[in-house]
Amino acid sequence: MGGDTVTVTGWVHEIRDLGGICFLVLRDREGFMQVTMVKKKTDPDLFDMGRRLNRESVVLVTGVVKEANQAPNGYEIIPESVNMLSEAESPLPMDVTEKVGADIDTRLDSRFIDLRRRTTLAVFVIRNHALKAVRDFLANEEFIDIQTPKVVAAATEGGTALFPITYFNREAFLNQSPQLYKQIMMSAGFDRVSEIGSIFRAEEHDTLRHLNEATSIDIEASFMDHSDVMRILERLVHDVYEYVSRQCVPQLEALGVELTVPKLPFRRLTYDDALAVAQQQGHEIEWGDDFGTVAERAVGNAVGEHYFITDWPLHIKPYYTHPREDDSRYSKSFDLMHPRMELASGSQRVHSHSLLRQRIAVCGLDPDGFEFYLKAFRYGMPPHAGWGLGADRLVMTMLGVENIRDVVLFPRDRKRLSP
Ligand code: AMO
């Protein structure tokens, strides 16, 4: 504190040269530190070096701490030495102080600099805490965290959105979802598994809520049905909001976000209810159609908070989805919705080997290509259910961010493969 000699390191955020006095504002991930050089009291070489520093250079400053009301944290450093650790070139590719705005492409092209901005940093600190809350929640519920392969031989969510790769002299794909592996783990007797990992979708769309590489939070649990895993999902979302609202006060403030923790339980609308709401709002959707973006938004606006759409028509859900026992036109499935978009989908799964084979064929796929998966259903597969929750979408909707690219460090979309 006051009078102590300290050594600090950081990036030169700002230089305010007033002639007789020069302020260097250093920045690190925790905040700002003012270094004050009074011309008359500072070694002339040091003073000269300090005022000529290029912004964003990395320096090491040793000096004496002094109380200063006007400094960012109530203290300033009177330097004895300033060492240059890495000089930044000038001009910078973009402004770090956020006085000058930059479009998303400029920001992503120089992402390492964009991430130095306070608001961008705040987003990723919050994302970190959100995922910590997810991990803690799942660990408390006794889920075993697993890592499944991302290089695979078969499609899980249908064949159109696959990235083919060359695997030695065979064709392989980047995994669209850990779906088949998390289900195999139910046959392995792991009971409850979870995974946070990348999913790859070769979808062509260019929207603010799709990426070609996204992060998915997946669970699968034995001896549960779709209603059981819906309750886990809503409690998880609730806990994430609560944890972030407690742990991330400065970051939420930096972003101007007032977080409202969603109330439990979330509303449940059947597909038929949601269809009626969309139709009342003038959207021409037939029974059995998926909701388009606009109709989805209309239902979201009518509900105004997180909600589930349950009991989807079986034929628009993947082959692993369990039909409803009382009416096989419907399935034991759900989507978790934020008023702005879908966050998760899940279901009770088909656990009968013969029914699963049949469902794969009905969906136009070749059951023989799924032998590694089907085999796990022949030697004792318990009833089970699960869901996949988009981590990027969870964070973007929580923070009211418009573009999914803003919550992903190095987003992959149709146009962007680097950095
Ligand atoms: P689904 O395909 O609905 O289900 O994906 C689950 C959730 O993952 C997120 N997501 C995406 N986020 C950003 N960009 C994308 N291209 C993208 N694709 C998906 C969404 C979505 O709700 N196997 C099932 C899950 C299950 O039943 O367990 C599945 O993958 O938030």
Side-chain angles (χ1 to χ4, degrees):
M1 286 300 110
D4 290 353
T5 297
V6 295
T7 296
V8 297
T9 51
W11 284 256
V12 178
H13 185 69
E14 239 185 312
I15 303 165
R16 265 179 286 137
D17 185 0
L18 309 177
I21 189 165
C22 178
F23 299 104
L24 302 180
V25 180
L26 300 191
R27 186 194 68 242
D28 69 6
R29 74 177 207 199
E30 299 302 327
F32 299 101
M33 187 75 210
Q34 179 174 299
V35 178
T36 305
M37 301 187 295
V38 179
K39 193 169 185 180
K40 283 191 200 147
K41 297 185 189 166
T42 311
D43 171 76
D45 289 345
L46 181 60
F47 189 82
D48 209 42
M49 185 235 181
R51 59 198 283 221
R52 282 164 193 265
L53 286 170
N54 282 347
R55 278 171 45 199
E56 296 305 310
S57 297
V58 181
V59 293
L60 179 145
V61 175
T62 300
V64 178
V65 178
K66 213 177 121 194
E67 277 184 38
N69 290 339
Q70 256 124 32
N73 45 12
Y75 290 95
E76 62 185 1
I77 296 177
I78 310 299
E80 284 159 9
S81 67
V82 176
N83 292 336
M84 173 69 77
L85 299 183
S86 171
E87 184 167 24
E89 289 179 24
S90 177
L92 296 163
M94 59 174 285
D95 175 48
V96 180
T97 61
E98 306 196 50
K99 286 176 190 148
V100 186
D103 63 37
I104 186 82
D105 277 320
T106 307
R107 292 176 43 216
L108 291 176
D109 285 343
S110 300
R111 190 58 149 170
F112 63 96
I113 296 222
D114 178 50
L115 290 161
R116 295 180 192 176
R117 301 186 350 159
R118 293 292 93 180
T119 51
T120 318
L121 171 67
V123 167
F124 289 95
V125 171
I126 292 172
R127 183 181 165 116
N128 167 60
H129 279 92
L131 287 176
K132 178 174 182 334
V134 169
R135 287 191 195 96
D136 288 352
F137 176 91
L138 293 172
N140 278 335
E141 298 282 323
E142 301 195 5
F143 281 84
I144 298 180
D145 185 42
I146 60 168
Q147 292 76 42
T148 62
K150 303 302 157 219
V151 176
V152 297
T156 59
E157 308 300 310
T160 52
L162 278 169
F163 280 116
I165 56 166
T166 306
Y167 192 69
F168 303 107
N169 50 8
R170 276 186 290 166
E171 188 180 48
F173 306 97
L174 294 179
N175 208 8
Q176 296 171 302
S177 154
Q179 183 67 35
L180 307 190
Y181 290 91
K182 62 181 184 171
Q183 285 193 258
I184 291 174
M185 294 310 290
M186 298 300 98
S187 181
F190 273 44
D191 231 46
R192 295 179 174 203
V193 299
S194 61
E195 177 168 15
I196 301 179
S198 288
I199 57 168
F200 301 90
R201 306 276 168 111
E203 291 151 348
E204 298 263 326
H205 27 227
D206 189 6
T207 77
L208 297 177
R209 59 179 208 288
H210 288 93
L211 287 175
N212 297 107
E213 179 176 8
T215 301
S216 176
I217 302 160
D218 274 89
I219 73 152
E220 203 63 27
S222 289
F223 309 105
M224 288 200 192
D225 66 11
H226 58 306
S227 304
D228 297 323
V229 293
M230 280 164 68
R231 281 192 288 273
I232 294 177
L233 180 53
E234 64 188 345
R235 284 199 292 118
L236 175 129
V237 171
H238 173 270
D239 270 30
V240 170
Y241 271 70
E242 205 173 66
Y243 186 81
V244 167
S245 67
R246 264 189 285 120
Q247 298 293 322
C248 302
V249 173
Q251 289 80 14
L252 291 168
E253 232 171 68
L255 296 172
V257 172
E258 274 184 43
L259 214 55
T260 311
V261 180
K263 285 195 194 65
L264 292 175
F266 295 170
R267 269 181 69 183
R268 279 123 167 102
L269 269 70
T270 62
Y271 169 88
D272 289 356
D273 294 339
L275 190 70
V277 174
Q279 285 168 342
Q280 275 158 20
Q281 313 252 343
H283 296 278
E284 285 179 20
I285 315 171
E286 302 276 318
W287 189 91
D289 290 348
D290 209 341
F291 297 94
T293 317
V294 185
E296 191 177 279
R297 205 59 185 259
V299 180
N301 288 339
V303 179
E305 55 193 4
H306 288 86
Y307 64 104
F308 287 107
I309 302 179
T310 66
D311 298 81
W312 288 78
L314 182 66
H315 72 272
I316 52 172
K317 285 290 173 185
Y319 54 84
Y320 50 77
T321 313
H322 205 294
R324 234 169 65 184
E325 286 85 359
D326 62 333
D327 185 345
S328 62
R329 288 174 306 153
Y330 293 93
S331 63
K332 298 172 89 170
S333 65
F334 59 88
D335 281 2
L336 170 65
M337 310 296 298
H338 178 275
R340 281 175 57 202
M341 71 189 78
E342 176 196 314
L343 295 184
S345 47
S347 57
Q348 183 181 327
R349 321 302 192 183
V350 174
H351 67 281
S352 141
H353 176 262
S354 56
L355 179 58
L356 187 54
R357 251 194 103 81
Q358 192 190 320
R359 291 290 309 145
I360 290 173
V362 169
C363 290
L365 300 161
D366 176 11
D368 292 341
F370 288 84
E371 192 42 37
F372 74 97
Y373 165 65
L374 285 165
K375 194 175 171 187
F377 291 74
R378 297 202 333 243
Y379 304 96
M381 172 63 96
H384 60 280
W387 43 252
L389 164 65
D392 317 302
R393 290 189 182 180
L394 176 66
V395 176
M396 76 184 279
T397 49
M398 182 162 66
L399 300 182
V401 165
E402 281 301 315
N403 192 337
I404 192 167
R405 291 160 187 77
D406 274 313
V407 302
V408 174
L409 282 177
F410 300 104
R412 292 289 174 261
D413 61 24
R414 236 167 71 200
K415 287 175 243 137
R416 188 170 288 278
L417 194 51
S418 76

